[in-house]
Amino acid sequence: MFRTRITDMLNIRYPILQGGMAWVATHELAAAVSEAGGLGIIGAGNAPAEVIKEEIKKLKELTDKPFGVNIMLMSPFAEDIVGIVCDEGVPVVTTGAGSPGKYIKKLKEHNVKIIPVVPTVSLAVRLEREGVDAVIVEGTEAGGHIGELTTMTLVPQIVDAVKIPIIAAGGIGDGRGFLAALSLGAEGVQIGTRFVCSTEAKVHINYKEAIVKAKDRDAQVTGRSTGHPVRALKNKFTREFLELENNNASLEELELLGSGRLKLAVVEGDINKGSLMSGQVAGLIKDIKPCKEIIGDIVSYAEKKLDFLHLLKEGDKDE
Ligand SMILES: Cc1cc2nc3c(=O)[nH]c(=O)nc-3n(C[C@H](O)[C@H](O)[C@H](O)COP(=O)(O)O)c2cc1C
């Protein structure tokens, strides 16, 4: 029912990608999402290439379904990870934090599908020209590093501007968001925050519970002044960061304050000093459940809703 160019291209059952989240998206989470019919993605973050090689190996022990690796282009190990992905036969690469331009030729030669995250129309148009296979259009509602435009406005503008298929990200947490994204012209969705609150995510329970408890305005942006804004749940760390920003602290000072904070939240469960990266959708997440259920609930809601709309149309015809 939800067959699109994305399901055909990636050879997956449902057009649902799990965001490649640094520290969060380990082989356990990615394998669970792929097994459930979506596309699981290992988040390489700033990890060295050998760590990612090991993650790929462990994922392959858990599933034989397609999966991807997310490469943060600002990582000092980005080039080595491109090499590992090509050697290991990884079918899909998503990229964050910039343009993957210089790696496109090599990835294509190894038959790897390239799907960058884009925050603007101009970057989507440029990357289409450079030969990427699809783009992930991420709105400012998302967790982690963000752009300025909303999913609602950006997705249809990019749908109109390019011919390659589009995956919508940012603010999608259930079947309603999934259907809304498809209505905007997306042929798939990428979901991050909802999967942080999955049973399989190797994320400290304190972090997961903080998302479950979060209300509508709790996911806040820091770092606007640095040019690298990040959305995370409000806590002692975000307050300190904003205070420094308001006092015109130097970039070095802010970078120092921010470094290692996501790991502190994910691994140590420090919900005061860690960065609890999360999207605005946190206010919608009320439980921690297996990936199979997260995906199953999204798909069954969407199917029922479409059935309902179809029946209404039929009913109208009868009158
Ligand atoms: C904890 C966390 C870490 C993230 N790390 C990355 C990353 O390393 N690379 C990347 O491209 N996107 C990253 N993202 C963005 C996600 O891949 C995804 O696009 C985003 O979460 C979608 O929005 P949502 O949170 O509203 O679902 C991260 C998001 C979160 C919540």
Side-chain angles (χ1 to χ4, degrees):
M1 183 166 200
F2 295 110
R3 187 171 171 194
T4 67
R5 284 188 291 170
I6 291 296
T7 55
D8 285 354
M9 178 193 293
L10 306 181
N11 200 15
I12 52 178
R13 181 150 186 222
Y14 304 120
I16 299 176
L17 282 67
Q18 159 251 311
M21 300 172 276
W23 289 104
V24 171
T26 61
H27 68 277
E28 292 96 337
L29 176 61
V33 172
S34 289
E35 276 294 296
L39 187 83
I41 298 178
I42 293 169
N46 281 318
E50 306 77 64
V51 172
I52 300 310
K53 187 174 176 181
E54 197 54 28
E55 282 290 293
I56 294 169
K57 186 171 154 239
K58 288 182 184 157
L59 179 139
K60 285 179 178 168
E61 285 164 12
L62 296 178
T63 184
D64 54 8
K65 301 261 180 354
F67 67 98
V69 170
N70 172 263
I71 304 178
M72 284 292 278
L73 296 164
M74 273 155 66
S75 157
F77 308 108
E79 186 158 356
D80 297 345
I81 294 173
V82 169
I84 296 283
V85 158
C86 293
D87 294 347
E88 297 296 318
V90 174
V92 187
V93 155
T94 63
T95 61
S99 160
K102 65 175 175 178
Y103 304 123
I104 291 178
K105 189 166 170 276
K106 178 164 183 175
L107 289 166
K108 277 195 166 294
E109 279 166 8
H110 287 82
N111 246 340
V112 184
K113 299 283 180 230
I114 312 158
I115 313 185
V117 174
V118 297
T120 59
V121 175
S122 57
L123 186 58
V125 169
R126 196 178 101 207
L127 289 174
E128 177 180 50
R129 238 182 357 242
E130 289 180 18
V132 304
D133 297 280
V135 282
I136 297 166
V137 177
E138 192 188 65
T140 193
E141 301 92 319
H145 289 87
I146 51 164
E148 258 184 52
L149 299 163
T150 60
T151 305
M152 187 79 160
T153 54
L154 188 59
V155 169
Q157 290 185 64
I158 296 186
V159 166
D160 287 348
V162 300
K163 293 198 178 66
I164 50 175
I166 276 156
I167 295 156
I172 299 160
D174 61 18
R176 292 171 294 183
F178 173 67
L179 267 190
L182 297 185
S183 302
L184 294 174
E187 295 184 54
V189 297
Q190 170 162 291
I191 295 178
T193 305
R194 174 64 267 195
F195 282 121
V196 176
C197 287
S198 65
T199 319
E200 294 90 343
K202 295 280 169 224
V203 170
H204 198 286
I205 187 69
N206 294 353
Y207 188 169
K208 294 185 186 181
E209 283 178 350
I211 294 179
V212 169
K213 282 190 203 133
K215 297 202 181 63
D216 51 355
R217 297 171 66 212
D218 286 347
Q220 184 184 47
V221 181
T222 56
R224 287 202 198 278
S225 67
T226 67
H228 301 290
V230 172
R231 191 181 297 283
L233 296 184
K234 278 182 203 167
N235 63 1
K236 187 166 182 280
F237 162 63
T238 59
R239 273 194 298 277
E240 266 178 35
F241 199 102
L242 285 173
E243 207 173 291
L244 269 190
E245 265 193 290
N246 290 338
N247 290 325
N248 299 320
S250 68
L251 201 58
E252 292 74 38
E253 249 180 298
L254 291 169
E255 269 171 10
L256 195 66
L257 182 67
S259 104
R261 299 290 179 148
L262 179 59
K263 181 183 177 195
L264 200 58
V266 174
V267 181
E268 312 284 327
D270 190 333
I271 57 168
N272 297 312
K273 297 194 209 119
S275 173
L276 304 170
M277 287 186 188
S278 164
Q280 291 181 341
V281 77
L284 200 67
I285 297 167
K286 300 290 173 227
D287 52 13
I288 299 159
K289 56 189 180 187
C291 293
K292 196 168 175 206
E293 242 176 82
I294 294 175
I295 292 180
D297 288 352
I298 290 174
V299 170
S300 69
Y301 171 88
E303 280 173 353
K304 279 195 199 112
K305 190 77 179 175
L306 288 178
D307 260 3
F308 174 69
L309 292 173
H310 177 67
L311 283 178
L312 267 186
K313 212 170 121 210
E314 291 297 307
D316 285 349
K317 270 188 210 156
D318 287 346
E319 277 169 20

